[in-house]
Amino acid sequence: YQPKSRFISLFITHHPIHITFFTIPLTFYTTIIMSDIFTSTFTAEKLGEKNYSTWKNDIRAFLMKNRVMGVVDGTDPRPDDTNTSDLRSWLKDKQQAAGIIFLALSDSQKVHVEGLEDDPAKMWNALEAVHVQKAPLCQIQCLQCIVQHCQVAR
């Protein structure tokens, strides 16, 4: 009998977050033998109003290190419901990714993912939509501000 258990321990301080994950496969006989202990620690500033670019890169790297970024960006699609083992594993990865993203948000940013907490891909896209200005009109307005600022400086 060789069950596998996953224990996750999260340590959160006031401003930067410290997340420590332990994945410990356990083998039960007459005693517990622990082997292949995987530990990773991550420190980053929580997402606020002005640090999206840095936050995104840090969280993406942490999601990749924990092998769950594919659930977020769609490169690891949901397996067929008939493959229960793969589906169970994918759902656990999805929960882990969603937890990582949510815990890396300041309170002011959690409103943007309200109702999406169980879907890390939707959380990621909602945060990007809030923090990244992609509209051409916005880009034109930014260029106009720069030009005006340069003219005033002369």
Side-chain angles (χ1 to χ4, degrees):
Y1 181 68
Q2 295 181 340
K4 288 193 174 189
S5 297
R6 179 177 282 182
F7 298 95
I8 300 175
S9 177
L10 302 173
F11 303 96
I12 303 173
T13 60
H14 176 60
H15 192 59
I17 61 171
H18 302 283
I19 303 175
T20 303
F21 287 91
F22 300 95
T23 303
I24 306 171
L26 300 177
T27 304
F28 291 87
Y29 291 103
T30 55
T31 60
I32 297 175
I33 302 169
M34 286 188 260
S35 62
D36 300 329
I37 297 174
F38 173 76
T39 303
S40 63
T41 302
F42 174 72
T43 302
E45 186 176 350
K46 288 186 177 189
L47 177 62
E49 297 294 325
K50 298 179 181 180
N51 65 335
Y52 177 75
S53 181
T54 302
W55 176 88
K56 180 182 83 168
N57 292 332
D58 290 344
I59 295 302
R60 174 184 279 134
F62 190 67
L63 291 165
M64 290 169 66
K65 183 178 187 317
N66 284 280
R67 298 182 180 113
V68 294
M69 186 63 199
V71 173
V72 177
D73 67 15
T75 58
D76 185 7
R78 179 186 172 111
D80 191 313
D81 288 349
T82 59
N83 190 340
T84 56
S85 177
D86 285 349
L87 180 60
R88 187 176 302 117
S89 177
W90 185 86
L91 289 171
K92 286 180 182 180
D93 289 348
K94 182 180 172 186
Q95 289 176 339
Q96 183 176 359
I100 289 170
I101 293 169
F102 190 80
L103 290 173
L105 302 177
S106 65
D107 289 341
S108 68
Q109 299 303 301
K110 291 178 181 176
V111 66
H112 303 304
V113 297
E114 191 171 319
L116 306 175
E117 294 90 351
D118 63 342
D119 191 332
K122 288 181 180 178
M123 292 170 72
W124 192 262
N125 292 334
L127 293 166
E128 181 178 46
V130 168
H131 291 279
V132 177
Q133 301 294 329
K134 294 183 177 181
L137 179 60
C138 179
Q139 293 172 354
I140 291 170
Q141 290 172 339
C142 289
L143 287 174
Q144 287 174 339
C145 288
I146 292 170
V147 169
Q148 287 175 354
H149 180 70
C150 289
Q151 289 174 349
V152 171
R154 289 183 194 177

